[in-house]
Amino acid sequence: MPARIVYATFPSVAEAEEMARTLVEARLVACANILPEMVSIYRWEGQIERGTEAVMMLKTTSERAAEVVEAVRAAHPYDVPAIVVLPLEGGLPAYLAWIAGEVAAG
């Protein structure tokens, strides 16, 4: 079963943790890694902005990736959140099997 990483950013670690717990409890993801602070420089509505965000990487299966994207989008405080799905090419077979085993079929 192919695995995916869903990358998303959140305005705070607390919001990322809440989302991660919800997704793991729902068995949409096997694991969430949260990197507590990064600096983002971006253009929004014609202005250059600077902010700090928490990065979250969610491990899931290709079959559930779209559901993960929708769940994150639905609960996200941003108008246009950064949410992308990244394919995994290879990896430790036992780890990939663990992801598949932890993510329940839809």
Side-chain angles (χ1 to χ4, degrees), residues 1 92-103:
M1 179 177 299
L92 182 66
Y95 182 72
L96 300 175
W98 173 77
I99 292 172
E102 289 302 311
V103 176

Side-chain angles (χ1 to χ4, degrees), residues 22-71:
T22 297
L23 294 170
V24 171
E25 286 176 351
R27 298 184 72 91
L28 285 171
V29 304
C31 174
N33 298 123
I34 299 168
L35 305 172
E37 188 173 307
M38 73 170 179
V39 173
S40 295
I41 307 291
Y42 56 96
R43 185 180 309 275
W44 182 251
E45 297 179 346
Q47 300 294 316
I48 302 295
E49 302 286 342
R50 180 194 185 279
T52 57
E53 297 177 294
V55 176
M56 186 162 58
M57 293 180 288
L58 303 157
K59 284 68 168 246
T60 192
T61 60
S62 60
E63 290 82 5
R64 302 300 299 268
E67 290 176 78
V68 173
V69 169
E70 181 52 31

Side-chain angles (χ1 to χ4, degrees), residues 4-19:
R4 299 287 184 263
I5 290 180
V6 178
Y7 168 95
T9 61
F10 282 82
S12 71
V13 171
E15 288 166 294
E17 283 188 28
E18 183 178 335
M19 183 82 258

